[in-house]
Amino acid sequence: MTLTPRIALLLLLPPLLWAGNAIVGRLVVPDIPPLMLNLLRWLLALALLLPLGWTALKRPGEVLRRWRYLAPLGLLGVGSYNSLQYMALRTSTPLNVTLIAASMPVWMLLIGALFYREHPQRRQLLGALLSLLGVALVLSRGDLSALARVHFVAGDLLMLVAVMCWGGYSWLLARPPASMQAEARPAWGWAEFLLVQTLFGLFFSGITAGIEHELTPMTVVWSPWLLLALAYVAIGPSVIAYRCWGLGVTAVGPAVAAFFSNLTPVFAALLSAALLGEWPQWFHGAAFVLIAAGIAVSSRRQAG
């Protein structure tokens, strides 16, 4: 499908909201354990989704018959990605985390080639290169030699696993297993579909948060700021971003959508600069041009 302005806007919103999620996640590190943060985030999201998608629960048999598909979606998209990201932010630097997340198009192409027989074309590889170069400009603040001084720690490995999980989640959204395609999908709207994913994801999130509490007990420091942060991560990066991402991935495919995810560190840099009172510099604009070029080059294959 052609990358229309509407689809482009849908795919621009998630990285903007996820950039805010990374900043908020970093700020609340001293106040709440990372797995508990993810659990509370999705519990609040569930409360928001229930009035919109409760009809999916009227026929539980339809949900249970599809558990082999819904459980991996919930595990990868709800239960794993942000849990691992929040954990990574406790031990890794924002530079390293964003650099690893910027490898998303590469993992999307690799997963597509290995599991879906979608071999990348030259334009997709060129788009990945342009996009990664744009992100590298932001991360190095215009000095690419600074990337050679990056040192990786345990949190970086967690973020690498998180990126792989998100790649698998996106491909599952776009290409359900053949058994699921053969059977007519229930008349679920976006809210119903995200609701059932959230239920499965909360099962895994609850288990991991319980283990976290037993192994590394930490008291939650409740405050108005923490409640506001929880409200943001539940509404913006969860309900709104997942809705837009699902529509965008379905429309243009995971490989093209992955290039939009590379805008997350650009938006994160701009938001951080705004909070610090700093104006964007030349490399922010250059990075945006390179990432946009990567999106355009890659999407031309989908349009043709």
Short mmCIF file of all heavy atoms in Angstrom, two decimals, residues 88-117:
data_model
loop_
_atom_site.label_atom_id
_atom_site.label_comp_id
_atom_site.label_asym_id
_atom_site.label_seq_id
_atom_site.Cartn_x
_atom_site.Cartn_y
_atom_site.Cartn_z
N ALA A 88 16.38 -1.44 31.36
CA ALA A 88 17.61 -0.96 30.74
C ALA A 88 17.95 0.46 31.20
O ALA A 88 19.12 0.79 31.39
CB ALA A 88 17.48 -1.00 29.22
N LEU A 89 16.93 1.29 31.40
CA LEU A 89 17.16 2.67 31.80
C LEU A 89 17.73 2.79 33.22
O LEU A 89 18.22 3.85 33.59
CB LEU A 89 15.85 3.47 31.71
CG LEU A 89 15.39 3.81 30.29
CD1 LEU A 89 13.97 4.35 30.30
CD2 LEU A 89 16.34 4.81 29.64
N ARG A 90 17.69 1.71 33.99
CA ARG A 90 18.26 1.75 35.34
C ARG A 90 19.77 1.57 35.32
O ARG A 90 20.46 2.03 36.24
CB ARG A 90 17.64 0.66 36.21
CG ARG A 90 16.15 0.85 36.47
CD ARG A 90 15.61 -0.21 37.40
NE ARG A 90 16.14 -0.04 38.75
CZ ARG A 90 15.60 0.75 39.67
NH1 ARG A 90 14.52 1.45 39.39
NH2 ARG A 90 16.14 0.84 40.86
N THR A 91 20.30 0.89 34.31
CA THR A 91 21.73 0.59 34.29
C THR A 91 22.45 1.14 33.07
O THR A 91 23.67 1.23 33.06
CB THR A 91 21.96 -0.94 34.33
OG1 THR A 91 21.28 -1.55 33.22
CG2 THR A 91 21.41 -1.52 35.63
N SER A 92 21.71 1.48 32.04
CA SER A 92 22.33 1.96 30.81
C SER A 92 22.14 3.47 30.67
O SER A 92 21.34 4.07 31.38
CB SER A 92 21.72 1.23 29.60
OG SER A 92 22.36 1.63 28.41
N THR A 93 22.88 4.05 29.75
CA THR A 93 22.76 5.48 29.50
C THR A 93 21.73 5.73 28.40
O THR A 93 21.49 4.86 27.55
CB THR A 93 24.11 6.05 29.04
OG1 THR A 93 24.46 5.46 27.77
CG2 THR A 93 25.20 5.74 30.05
N PRO A 94 21.11 6.88 28.39
CA PRO A 94 20.16 7.20 27.32
C PRO A 94 20.79 7.10 25.93
O PRO A 94 20.14 6.69 24.98
CB PRO A 94 19.75 8.64 27.63
CG PRO A 94 19.97 8.78 29.10
CD PRO A 94 21.17 7.94 29.41
N LEU A 95 22.09 7.45 25.81
CA LEU A 95 22.77 7.36 24.53
C LEU A 95 22.79 5.92 24.03
O LEU A 95 22.44 5.62 22.89
CB LEU A 95 24.20 7.89 24.65
CG LEU A 95 25.10 7.70 23.42
CD1 LEU A 95 24.54 8.45 22.23
CD2 LEU A 95 26.51 8.15 23.74
N ASN A 96 23.18 4.99 24.89
CA ASN A 96 23.26 3.59 24.48
C ASN A 96 21.89 3.02 24.16
O ASN A 96 21.71 2.30 23.17
CB ASN A 96 23.91 2.77 25.60
CG ASN A 96 25.40 3.00 25.70
OD1 ASN A 96 25.89 4.05 25.33
ND2 ASN A 96 26.11 2.02 26.21
N VAL A 97 20.89 3.32 25.00
CA VAL A 97 19.55 2.77 24.80
C VAL A 97 18.96 3.23 23.48
O VAL A 97 18.39 2.44 22.71
CB VAL A 97 18.63 3.16 25.98
CG1 VAL A 97 17.17 2.90 25.65
CG2 VAL A 97 19.03 2.39 27.22
N THR A 98 19.13 4.52 23.17
CA THR A 98 18.56 5.02 21.91
C THR A 98 19.33 4.50 20.71
O THR A 98 18.75 4.27 19.66
CB THR A 98 18.60 6.55 21.86
OG1 THR A 98 18.99 7.09 23.09
CG2 THR A 98 17.29 7.13 21.49
N LEU A 99 20.63 4.33 20.87
CA LEU A 99 21.44 3.79 19.78
C LEU A 99 20.99 2.37 19.44
O LEU A 99 20.84 2.02 18.27
CB LEU A 99 22.92 3.81 20.16
CG LEU A 99 23.90 3.20 19.15
CD1 LEU A 99 23.82 3.95 17.83
CD2 LEU A 99 25.30 3.21 19.70
N ILE A 100 20.76 1.56 20.44
CA ILE A 100 20.32 0.18 20.20
C ILE A 100 18.91 0.17 19.61
O ILE A 100 18.62 -0.60 18.69
CB ILE A 100 20.38 -0.63 21.51
CG1 ILE A 100 21.84 -0.76 21.96
CG2 ILE A 100 19.75 -2.00 21.34
CD1 ILE A 100 22.00 -1.28 23.36
N ALA A 101 18.02 1.01 20.13
CA ALA A 101 16.66 1.08 19.58
C ALA A 101 16.67 1.52 18.12
O ALA A 101 15.79 1.15 17.35
CB ALA A 101 15.81 2.04 20.42
N ALA A 102 17.69 2.29 17.75
CA ALA A 102 17.79 2.75 16.37
C ALA A 102 18.09 1.63 15.38
O ALA A 102 18.00 1.83 14.17
CB ALA A 102 18.86 3.84 16.25
N SER A 103 18.46 0.47 15.89
CA SER A 103 18.71 -0.67 15.00
C SER A 103 17.43 -1.39 14.61
O SER A 103 17.49 -2.43 13.94
CB SER A 103 19.67 -1.66 15.68
OG SER A 103 19.06 -2.27 16.81
N MET A 104 16.28 -0.87 14.98
CA MET A 104 14.99 -1.52 14.71
C MET A 104 14.79 -1.91 13.25
O MET A 104 14.39 -3.06 12.96
CB MET A 104 13.84 -0.62 15.17
CG MET A 104 12.46 -1.19 14.90
SD MET A 104 12.09 -2.60 15.94
CE MET A 104 11.83 -1.78 17.52
N PRO A 105 15.05 -1.02 12.25
CA PRO A 105 14.83 -1.44 10.86
C PRO A 105 15.65 -2.66 10.48
O PRO A 105 15.21 -3.52 9.72
CB PRO A 105 15.25 -0.21 10.05
CG PRO A 105 15.08 0.94 11.00
CD PRO A 105 15.45 0.40 12.34
N VAL A 106 16.89 -2.75 11.00
CA VAL A 106 17.73 -3.90 10.68
C VAL A 106 17.10 -5.18 11.20
O VAL A 106 17.05 -6.21 10.50
CB VAL A 106 19.14 -3.70 11.27
CG1 VAL A 106 20.01 -4.92 10.99
CG2 VAL A 106 19.79 -2.43 10.72
N TRP A 107 16.59 -5.15 12.44
CA TRP A 107 15.98 -6.35 13.02
C TRP A 107 14.67 -6.69 12.33
O TRP A 107 14.33 -7.87 12.16
CB TRP A 107 15.77 -6.16 14.52
CG TRP A 107 17.06 -6.11 15.27
CD1 TRP A 107 17.67 -5.02 15.81
CD2 TRP A 107 17.93 -7.21 15.53
NE1 TRP A 107 18.85 -5.36 16.39
CE2 TRP A 107 19.04 -6.71 16.23
CE3 TRP A 107 17.88 -8.58 15.23
CZ2 TRP A 107 20.10 -7.52 16.65
CZ3 TRP A 107 18.94 -9.38 15.65
CH2 TRP A 107 20.02 -8.85 16.35
N MET A 108 13.92 -5.67 11.92
CA MET A 108 12.69 -5.92 11.17
C MET A 108 13.00 -6.66 9.87
O MET A 108 12.33 -7.64 9.52
CB MET A 108 11.98 -4.60 10.86
CG MET A 108 11.33 -3.94 12.05
SD MET A 108 9.83 -4.77 12.57
CE MET A 108 9.07 -3.46 13.53
N LEU A 109 14.00 -6.18 9.16
CA LEU A 109 14.37 -6.82 7.90
C LEU A 109 14.89 -8.24 8.15
O LEU A 109 14.59 -9.16 7.38
CB LEU A 109 15.43 -5.99 7.18
CG LEU A 109 15.00 -4.59 6.70
CD1 LEU A 109 16.18 -3.85 6.09
CD2 LEU A 109 13.86 -4.70 5.69
N LEU A 110 15.66 -8.43 9.22
CA LEU A 110 16.21 -9.75 9.52
C LEU A 110 15.11 -10.74 9.89
O LEU A 110 15.09 -11.88 9.40
CB LEU A 110 17.23 -9.63 10.65
CG LEU A 110 17.94 -10.93 11.06
CD1 LEU A 110 18.72 -11.50 9.88
CD2 LEU A 110 18.88 -10.68 12.24
N ILE A 111 14.18 -10.31 10.75
CA ILE A 111 13.07 -11.19 11.14
C ILE A 111 12.21 -11.53 9.92
O ILE A 111 11.77 -12.68 9.74
CB ILE A 111 12.22 -10.52 12.23
CG1 ILE A 111 13.02 -10.44 13.54
CG2 ILE A 111 10.91 -11.29 12.47
CD1 ILE A 111 12.34 -9.63 14.62
N GLY A 112 11.98 -10.55 9.07
CA GLY A 112 11.19 -10.80 7.86
C GLY A 112 11.87 -11.81 6.94
O GLY A 112 11.21 -12.68 6.36
N ALA A 113 13.20 -11.71 6.83
CA ALA A 113 13.92 -12.65 5.96
C ALA A 113 13.96 -14.05 6.55
O ALA A 113 13.81 -15.04 5.82
CB ALA A 113 15.34 -12.13 5.73
N LEU A 114 14.14 -14.16 7.87
CA LEU A 114 14.30 -15.47 8.50
C LEU A 114 12.98 -16.22 8.65
O LEU A 114 12.93 -17.44 8.45
CB LEU A 114 14.96 -15.31 9.88
CG LEU A 114 16.43 -14.91 9.89
CD1 LEU A 114 16.92 -14.72 11.32
CD2 LEU A 114 17.29 -15.95 9.18
N PHE A 115 11.92 -15.51 9.01
CA PHE A 115 10.67 -16.19 9.38
C PHE A 115 9.53 -15.98 8.38
O PHE A 115 8.55 -16.73 8.42
CB PHE A 115 10.22 -15.73 10.77
CG PHE A 115 11.20 -16.05 11.86
CD1 PHE A 115 12.04 -15.08 12.37
CD2 PHE A 115 11.31 -17.34 12.36
CE1 PHE A 115 12.96 -15.37 13.37
CE2 PHE A 115 12.22 -17.65 13.36
CZ PHE A 115 13.05 -16.65 13.86
N TYR A 116 9.64 -14.97 7.53
CA TYR A 116 8.53 -14.66 6.63
C TYR A 116 8.94 -14.65 5.16
O TYR A 116 8.14 -14.26 4.31
CB TYR A 116 7.90 -13.31 7.01
CG TYR A 116 7.24 -13.33 8.36
CD1 TYR A 116 7.96 -13.00 9.51
CD2 TYR A 116 5.89 -13.67 8.49
CE1 TYR A 116 7.35 -13.03 10.76
CE2 TYR A 116 5.28 -13.69 9.75
CZ TYR A 116 6.02 -13.37 10.86
OH TYR A 116 5.43 -13.39 12.10
N ARG A 117 10.18 -15.04 4.88
CA ARG A 117 10.69 -15.10 3.51
C ARG A 117 10.54 -13.77 2.77
O ARG A 117 10.29 -13.73 1.57
CB ARG A 117 9.97 -16.22 2.73
CG ARG A 117 10.20 -17.60 3.32
CD ARG A 117 9.52 -18.67 2.50
NE ARG A 117 9.74 -20.00 3.07
CZ ARG A 117 9.23 -21.13 2.57
NH1 ARG A 117 8.47 -21.07 1.47
NH2 ARG A 117 9.47 -22.28 3.14
#
